[in-house]
Amino acid sequence: MDNKILIGGLIVAIIIAILAPFLASSNPDGLESTAEKIINEDALHKNLQALGLEEEGTVAPSPMPDYSIEGMGKVGEVIAMIVGTLIMLALAYGVAIVLKKPSSN
């Protein structure tokens, strides 16, 4: 029974990963949209310069920025979503195995 649930969940996750690039909005999400409205880029750079600072980039480069693989279009988005989904499922499964209580037989 447990294997059927695990396999069923994996199938649903893969189906969502395949369909997500085609169903997702091309408009920015709420956080990104709000940031674009309230942040004045010129003022931000002037303030950073006045403090003697520079705008930092990312801490670590993203292997698949914007949920896509550059130059592959929608196919790259689908592959990126599937790979990301499988990585997260593997991590969650690994954490579950580590935290699993030993059975008392």
Side-chain angles (χ1 to χ4, degrees), residues 65-86:
D66 295 327
Y67 307 104
S68 65
I69 299 173
E70 194 172 328
M72 293 186 69
K74 287 291 183 188
V75 172
E77 291 179 27
V78 170
I79 293 170
M81 291 294 287
I82 291 172
V83 169
T85 300
L86 292 175

Side-chain angles (χ1 to χ4, degrees), residues 28-95:
D29 63 13
L31 179 61
E32 189 175 342
S33 175
T34 302
E36 288 175 356
K37 290 176 185 174
I38 65 170
I39 294 177
N40 180 334
E41 288 288 325
D42 293 331
L44 175 65
H45 291 295
K46 286 179 186 176
N47 290 338
L48 288 172
Q49 288 174 350
L51 294 171
L53 301 173
E54 293 182 23
E55 185 175 356
E56 295 291 327
T58 58
V59 175
S62 173
M64 294 180 270
D66 295 327
Y67 307 104
S68 65
I69 299 173
E70 194 172 328
M72 293 186 69
K74 287 291 183 188
V75 172
E77 291 179 27
V78 170
I79 293 170
M81 291 294 287
I82 291 172
V83 169
T85 300
L86 292 175
I87 289 170
M88 292 310 300
L89 288 171
L91 286 172
Y93 185 74
V95 168

